Amino acid sequence: MGAVVVVGTHWGDEAKGKLVDLLAQDAELVIRYGGGPNAGHTVHVGESTYKFHLIPSGILNPKTLSIMADGMVIDPATLVREIETLQGVGIDTSNLRISHNAHVILPYHRLLDQLEEKLKGAGAIGTTGRGVGPCYADKASRVGVRMGDLIDPKRLRERLTAALPLKNAILTKVFEAEAVELEALIAELTPLGEKLARYVCDTQALAGEALEANKRILFEGAQATMLDIDGGTYPFVTSSHPISGGACIGTGVPPTAISEILGVVKAYTSRVGAGTVPTELLDERGDKIRERGNEYGTTTGRPRRIGWLDGFALQYAARVNGLTGICIGHLDVLAGFETINICVGYTKNGVLLKHFPAGDVCLMDGCEPVYEALPGWPEDSIDNVTRFEDLPANAQAYVRRVELLAGVPARFVSIGPRRDQTLLTPNSPAPAQLFASPKISLLTEK
Ligand code: IMO
Ligand code: MG
């Protein structure tokens, strides 16, 4: 069996959690490979709504092992709160595993995230303020604290003793903030480490064993393609690798193990934080979509910026992620528009661009979207549809147009937040079949 990766194609909040929740029912392992509490996943099951920032959405399935892998940055206080909330509503968390290599977001990372943003003034990124960037910066500078350190009192003291002089110099001399006191920090972290210790292990080894045993692995992407630190709209990006390649970097699973890469596309575009959004709608059409789609951040509550679907960005996302299929979400939100625009390219200084200008925000500036106008479908016409074929013809045509732009089959279409509001397209195999990988035989077996 192979591995399936779920990635966001634009700037996040594509409802990846919903697809992960659906596929997790056939997966034996669900692995989150990057990011931290900057992510916000809302999953609806029956009448209940669950909001996660750190824990993989797969935790709702008692048969799957839910792994928080090496590539993640973990705020232990947030994680303990999420675990206790889940246990409080009767959800078993004994299947959670946390990599000993995942980095710990410390209180000074959160503080530095906020202080740095303030100092940047007009150039601020609009981060979630959760300490994600400063934690990854410490990882790269090799002064980070990892989960294996957090649960070992001796190592925790050693790592913090090494890191604090540098951190305190920055806090006191650059920001004129208070220094962090070693003993107080250890006293705050020790009970969190004790609560999390039972979950911490070598998750690379676990994933390796699962591959050898031909188990079905699902990678749960957080953030999205345009927020990738290299492939996204730098500097308005996050500090990790949300693209499909990140699933290998952040877990120790090789690229050859992956059989399917599903891109989750919102039927329109949304973004929180700063940076250019060429298809942004600053009029009442954007407001209508924001209200209908409840487009307010799960993590920060900020109203999301809204635009028409950026199909040019989608083509780029299909390429850099190596998408094998897409899932189109929030189609219901577009109901009631007479005309729906879809961006099929950009012009800059009157010239049509050949390639999507990712990787440098300066290239994005001044880009004008080229739109194709598609006819809409009436309000309330798709809410209770249970088969793709029963969608209004114009809604089906919209899905086909998005599919053509992506160049890969649309596998699922979501028409509402509930589990039963996901339609399989005629192109969709049963979810379990997505995990099938080609057999490779050794010469010795011939
Ligand atoms: P999910 O998993 C939307 C954005 C922030 C900011 C930039 C950097 O819910 O799709 P950071 O705190 O990561 O340093 O902020 O990235 N951002 C997200 N936007 N959805 C997310 O995650 C995001 N995670 C980070 O708004 O612009
Ligand atoms: Mg979110």
Side-chain angles (χ1 to χ4, degrees):
M1 286 295 161
V4 176
V5 186
V6 171
V7 290
T9 51
H10 288 77
W11 283 280
D13 305 318
E14 294 94 350
K16 298 174 287 292
K18 188 182 180 201
L19 181 64
V20 169
D21 173 58
L22 179 102
L23 299 178
Q25 295 170 54
D26 291 299
E28 289 157 287
L29 271 77
V30 175
I31 308 182
R32 238 198 90 174
Y33 56 87
N38 47 352
H41 295 173
T42 310
V43 179
H44 302 261
V45 185
E47 295 302 303
S48 308
T49 298
Y50 302 98
K51 286 184 193 297
F52 302 121
H53 296 287
L54 283 165
I55 294 188
S57 311
I59 198 80
L60 296 178
N61 185 345
K63 286 185 293 197
T64 42
L65 211 52
S66 284
I67 294 181
M68 302 171 67
D70 312 35
M72 284 193 71
V73 289
I74 297 172
D75 184 327
T78 307
L79 181 56
V80 165
R81 221 177 306 126
E82 282 187 19
I83 290 172
E84 288 175 352
T85 304
L86 285 170
Q87 288 171 344
V89 293
I91 291 169
D92 181 15
T93 57
S94 59
N95 276 346
L96 182 67
R97 298 288 182 278
I98 305 168
S99 169
H100 56 189
N101 286 347
H103 276 250
V104 180
I105 297 182
L106 295 159
Y108 55 73
H109 291 135
R110 275 197 309 270
L111 184 62
L112 284 168
D113 194 354
Q114 287 153 23
L115 291 170
E116 286 171 16
E117 279 283 276
K118 213 189 266 170
L119 198 69
K120 282 180 189 160
I125 308 291
T127 71
T128 58
R130 299 295 191 266
V132 169
C135 183
Y136 276 118
D138 277 4
K139 172 180 176 174
S141 300
R142 289 142 298 170
V143 289
V145 173
R146 306 205 283 183
M147 288 303 295
D149 304 321
L150 180 74
I151 62 167
D152 179 332
K154 184 167 168 283
R155 276 167 55 185
L156 180 64
R157 181 172 290 275
E158 278 170 15
R159 294 302 294 162
L160 287 175
T161 304
L164 278 189
L166 183 70
K167 294 293 137 189
N168 278 336
I170 296 168
L171 281 170
T172 57
K173 294 182 183 150
V174 177
F175 293 105
E176 295 174 356
E178 267 181 46
V180 176
E181 213 264 306
L182 177 68
E183 295 307 327
L185 185 55
I186 289 177
E188 184 180 342
L189 295 172
T190 303
L192 297 171
E194 283 167 1
K195 283 186 179 161
L196 295 174
R198 60 183 281 227
Y199 303 106
V200 177
C201 62
D202 180 348
T203 59
Q204 285 203 10
L206 267 184
E209 278 172 14
L211 281 173
E212 269 173 36
N214 264 333
K215 290 198 170 160
R216 294 183 293 271
I217 301 177
L218 177 63
F219 289 104
E220 170 172 352
Q223 289 78 47
T225 307
M226 299 301 150
L227 294 172
D228 187 278
I229 191 161
D230 285 318
T233 47
Y234 191 92
F236 300 104
V237 292
T238 190
S239 307
S240 60
H241 291 289
I243 60 168
S244 60
C248 300
I249 296 168
T251 62
V253 172
T256 44
I258 294 169
S259 53
E260 182 88 18
I261 302 169
L262 292 176
V264 186
V265 190
K266 215 178 234 184
Y268 47 90
T269 296
S270 77
R271 177 172 202 173
V272 277
T276 311
V277 180
T279 65
E280 187 165 13
L281 282 167
L282 296 166
D283 57 17
E284 69 284 355
R285 293 173 299 179
D287 295 340
K288 181 173 164 184
I289 293 175
R290 183 177 305 103
E291 292 314 310
R292 291 183 58 125
N294 191 24
E295 293 292 353
Y296 294 88
T298 316
T299 305
T300 57
R302 288 179 285 182
R304 295 181 186 138
R305 298 160 64 196
I306 304 294
W308 294 121
L309 176 59
D310 192 331
F312 197 33
L314 174 61
Q315 286 177 326
Y316 169 74
R319 177 161 61 81
V320 292
N321 288 297
L323 296 185
T324 55
I326 54 170
C327 167
I328 302 172
H330 293 78
L331 194 67
D332 51 312
V333 175
L334 289 185
F337 280 97
E338 203 164 308
T339 303
I340 298 168
N341 287 335
I342 186 164
C343 167
V344 295
Y346 294 164
T347 57
K348 190 163 177 170
N349 302 323
V351 179
L352 192 65
L353 298 191
K354 195 166 166 215
H355 296 292
F356 182 78
D360 187 341
V361 79
C362 301
L363 298 174
M364 260 323 239
D365 281 343
C367 283
E368 293 290 337
V370 177
Y371 286 123
E372 225 173 78
L374 279 83
W377 50 93
E379 199 104 26
D380 300 332
S381 61
I382 67 175
D383 294 0
N384 297 312
V385 167
T386 54
R387 297 182 334 143
F388 178 80
E389 296 79 354
D390 296 334
L391 286 172
N394 287 348
Q396 289 188 38
Y398 187 75
V399 170
R400 290 205 176 85
R401 186 65 189 106
V402 178
E403 181 185 72
L404 204 62
L405 281 167
V408 291
R411 303 250 190 241
F412 306 95
V413 175
S414 172
I415 54 164
R418 294 194 319 267
R419 259 186 189 172
D420 62 359
Q421 288 176 309
T422 303
L423 314 177
L424 269 63
T425 71
N427 254 335
S428 181
Q433 283 172 18
L434 294 172
F435 293 94
S437 62
K439 289 263 173 303
I440 298 172
S441 307
L442 300 180
L443 282 175
T444 48
E445 291 168 21
K446 292 257 158 74

